[in-house]
Amino acid sequence: MASKTLIILLALLLLTGCWSRRELNDMLIVLGLSIDWEDQEYLVSFQVVNPSEISSQRTKQDQPPVTLFQGRGKTLFEAARALSAEAPRKFYLGHLEIFVISESLARKGLHDFIDVLLRDNETRMDFKVVVARGTPAENILKIFTPIEKLPTRSMKQSLETSEKNWAPTVSMNLDDVLNMLTRKGEELALTGIQIVGDPPKSKSKLNVQSFKPLGNFRYTGIAAFKSDKLVGWLNEEESKGYSDVTNKLDSTSISLACGNHNYLGMEVTSSKSKIRMNVREGKPEARVRIRSEVTIVNRPCTDVDLTDPATIQKLQKELEQIIESHANSAIKRAKQWKTDIFGFGERLAKTHPHYWESVKTSWSDEYFPELSVQYEIEVKIRKTGTIGNTKLKQSQ
C-alpha cells in the first residue's frame, strides 16, 4: 500500500498543470498589426479588441470596438517596446487576423520584420498579409467598418470572399509568404488594400451610422515582389491573368461587348490551369493551359441568339481571347520587372533539374524575361440561362 502511495505522489510531481496559462483580463488581444516606415523609423500599430464593446450583454458605453496603440523606433524591437509605454496590459498576438505592410516598407524589403514575427512564440502563421496602397498602413487599421464590428474580421472575410468570387486578389497568410520567400523559381505576390471614399471620415464612428459608409477599404491590384522587395503593381486585368495562370482563380466575371454600350455578362464558374515547361535547343519554353467553364448571366442584346450553336462557339472564342489577353498582359508586365511571380522557374526545376542548376542564378534577370510562352485556352459555356432568348420589351 505504501509503495502505491509513493508511486502516486511521484506521478503528481510530474504534472505541471497549466504552467504557461495567462488570464484573459491580463492581456490585450491584438487583431490587427501594421508597420510603416516613416522618417527613417518604424511605426508599429496594434489594433486591440475592446471586449466590453463586442459583448452581447454590454451596457451602452459609446466606445469604439477596438483601440489603436502605436510605437516608434529605429528598430522594430524598439518600436514594439515603445508600445508598452501606454498599454495597461501585455499584448497577445495569438489571435492576429490581418497584417498590413506599408508600400514604402514593402519596397524597402520584408526580411527584417518577418524575422521579428517568427521570433515571437505566441504568433500563429494563419493571419492574412496585405500591402497598403496609396495610404500609410496605420490608416487601414483606423477604419470603422459596417456590418462587422471588428474591422480586421471584416477585412479578413472580405479578402477570402474576393479571392473566390472576383479574382484580382489573392489570400496569403504568413505561412504562404514564408514559403514564397524561400522557394526557388517563384516570387511573392500580395494583394493591395486602399481606402476609398473619404479617408478622414472613415476614421469616425459616423462612418457606420449612415446607409453608405463615407469611407471604406477596398482590395485592389496585386503587388509583385522580387526577392523580398516590392517592384510594381499589376492592374485589374493583369491581376486576373496572374490568378488564372497560377491556378488561383475560382470565379470571376467577364463582359463581352454586344452592341452600343451593351455587354453580355459572363460568370466564370470554374477555372483550372497548368504550366508545362520544356527545353528546346538550350532555351526554356512554357505552355500555359487554362480550362474554364462559363455561365451567361446577362443578355441585353436581342440580336445574340443563344439557341444557335454557332453563336455559342463564337462567344467561346471571344472569351478565350480575353482570358489569353489577361494572362499575356500579366506575364509581359512581370517580365518587365524581371520577377517570376508565376513559378515558371519552380516548375522548370522539377521537370528539368539539371538544366535548372545551370540557369537558376540568372533566371530572373536573363532567362525569364526572354521566356517563350504559348497558350492553350479552352472555354466551355455550360449554361445560357433557363429562359433562353428572352422576349422582354426593351427601350428604343
Side-chain angles (χ1 to χ4, degrees), residues 224 226 231 234 238 242 327-342 344 364 368-369:
K226 184 173 183 179
V231 293
L234 301 180
E238 293 164 350
Y242 167 80
N328 189 53
S329 296
I331 294 173
K332 183 177 180 180
R333 182 70 66 188
K335 285 182 174 181
Q336 292 176 352
W337 295 326
K338 297 182 178 181
T339 177
D340 182 6
I341 56 177
F342 305 94
F344 291 111
S364 294
F368 172 66

Side-chain angles (χ1 to χ4, degrees), residues 29-32 47-55 63-67 95 97-98 140-158 208 216-217 219:
I29 307 299
V30 180
L31 298 181
Q47 187 190 90
V48 176
V49 65
N50 185 346
S52 63
E53 280 300 304
I54 63 173
S55 172
Q63 296 180 10
V66 292
T67 300
H95 292 289
E97 293 188 325
I98 197 159
I140 302 297
L141 297 186
K142 295 178 180 178
I143 300 175
F144 277 83
T145 55
I147 311 298
E148 292 284 351
K149 286 186 178 181
L150 299 176
T152 54
R153 183 68 49 79
S154 178
M155 293 174 190
K156 180 180 179 181
Q157 293 177 349
S158 178
V208 294
N216 206 348
F217 69 89
Y219 291 109

